[in-house]
Every structure is written in C-alpha cells, then in structure tokens.
Amino acid sequence: MMGHSHAVSGAMLYAASAPFLPPLLLHTTLQPADILMGTVLCAGAALLPDLDHHDGSIANFLGPISKALCRFVAWASGGHRHATHSLLFVALMGGGTWAGVTFLGRNFTLAVTFFLLALAIRALRLCPPGDGPEAWITVVGLAALGTFGMNTWMPNAPGWLPYAVGLGTLAHLLGDCLTKKGAPLLWPHKERYEIVLIKRSGNNVETKVLVPIMSVATFVLLWFTALSPTIVN
C-alpha cells in the first residue's frame, strides 16, 4: 500500500476504536480532544514500519535526518518488509512509547508528537510534492506548529499515546497483508501472510475504492465521537 493509504487506515482504526477499546484496555474514557489528537498521531504511526524503506518517499519527510534514519533502520532490520513489518515491531513501538511516556515525561511526549505529526503531514500530502528542501522544511514547520497547538491540550503522560502508536503500526501491517508480498507477522519466522486484494500498490482498488471509503468513514466516526456540537458542548 501507498503511504497515504496507510495513514488513512491508521486514522480510521483509531477513530473507530476510540470509544470502545481504550475504556477496555486502558480503563479510561477518551475526551473529544484526545480522540482528535490520537487520530492524527495514529495516522503518522501507520508509517513507522516503512522506516525500513531507505529510498521511499517517506524517507525524506525530515530531509537528510530521516534519510539517514531510514538507511540505518533498513540495515538493522534486514531490508524492506522484514523485522519492522512484524507483530514484534508493533509490541516494541507500543511498549517503547509507554516506557518513554511513563519514565521520560513531557519532553518525550512532545518529541513523539512532533515526529508522528511530521510523518502524517508527509503521508497525507499536506506539503509540497517532491523530496527537495521546500517539502521537508514545510513538513518541519507544520509539525512544529501542530506540536505547539497540541501542547495546550495534551496531558504530560497521555495514556492513549502508546495505544495510538501500537494501533497505527498494526494498521500498516494489516494493510500490507492485503498486497502480494504480504508481511512477515511472526518475524523472525519468515513466512509472509497475505490476502491479496491489492495486486499493485497505487492501483484503482486502493486509490479509488479503499482510500475514499476509509476517508469518509474516518470523518463520520469523528463527527459522532468528537466533532458533533452535542459532544463538544
């Protein structure tokens, strides 16, 4: 799947699950602001597995910094669609975020927020196209503004942030399981799991059917959980 599709799928899963799973798993009811912020950050987290793609468009979302990061992750994980496309990686991302939020506090929370916002902005195409300085400088600027805005509403240790990171990462894996190459969910076991609905990334099924459906579903879900005047008031 394309990065844009992954981001939309992460946003939809968070918006759909926010009223039900956090009360069950985290023993907390999310407020409208938590749902809105989590939806955006989950969209960014849905790009995390592709940090192993050193030459993908997402590799340039923070310019030379992200390019170097993606090259390192690709080397350490065995290349594209290996270790980072596993349930173990989902657990590491969710657990690592929980540890950071719990023990490192506010600065870690804001750093993760900035990083995930930058991923979401790039994937959702809210910046100029291409991989040049104009694109990644815009991403950095918008992510900084978004982080500053969220700082007003976000608690020091949001319990829903590890949930958003883990869910977004899982959404990516599920999306890749819909493609021909599948994903090695049980890595280091090498078997790849797939139910092929998308024969080629970026084809009409993905871009003209799945993405519009997921986009509309996300906005509808957010309306009933966070945006409706009756909810806000």
Side-chain angles (χ1 to χ4, degrees), residues 35-193:
I35 295 175
L36 289 173
M37 289 188 292
T39 297
V40 175
L41 297 184
C42 192
L47 274 295
L48 287 173
D50 271 354
L51 289 175
D52 67 358
H53 195 341
H54 72 278
D55 199 32
S57 60
I58 204 65
N60 299 284
F61 76 108
L62 291 178
I65 296 174
S66 57
K67 191 75 171 179
L69 173 63
C70 289
R71 287 188 179 277
F72 173 78
V73 173
W75 170 80
S77 65
H80 186 45
R81 287 207 195 187
H82 286 85
T84 65
H85 286 66
S86 68
L87 294 176
L88 176 60
F89 184 74
V90 174
L92 288 174
M93 291 298 98
T97 304
W98 174 85
V101 167
T102 302
F103 298 109
L104 300 179
R106 188 72 172 178
N107 289 336
F108 177 86
T109 297
L110 294 178
V112 170
T113 298
F114 172 83
F115 189 78
L116 296 181
L117 273 178
L119 280 170
I121 290 165
R122 178 67 192 221
L124 296 174
R125 300 167 186 167
L126 302 177
C127 62
D131 301 326
E134 182 181 14
W136 60 262
I137 289 174
T138 301
V139 168
V140 169
L142 291 178
L145 287 174
T147 303
F148 178 79
M150 287 188 179
N151 182 47
T152 303
W153 304 99
M154 187 174 290
N156 284 334
W160 52 264
L161 185 56
Y163 171 76
V165 171
L167 184 65
T169 309
L170 179 62
H172 185 111
L173 270 57
L174 296 176
D176 278 352
C177 284
L178 301 179
T179 67
K180 275 188 174 182
K181 294 181 180 180
L185 299 180
L186 301 181
W187 184 93
H189 182 59
K190 294 183 179 180
E191 182 179 356
R192 292 174 177 264
Y193 298 85

Side-chain angles (χ1 to χ4, degrees), residues 15-40:
S17 65
F20 311 107
L21 288 184
L24 180 65
L25 299 177
L26 308 176
H27 306 292
T28 184
T29 300
L30 300 186
Q31 299 303 309
D34 299 325
I35 295 175
L36 289 173
M37 289 188 292
T39 297
V40 175

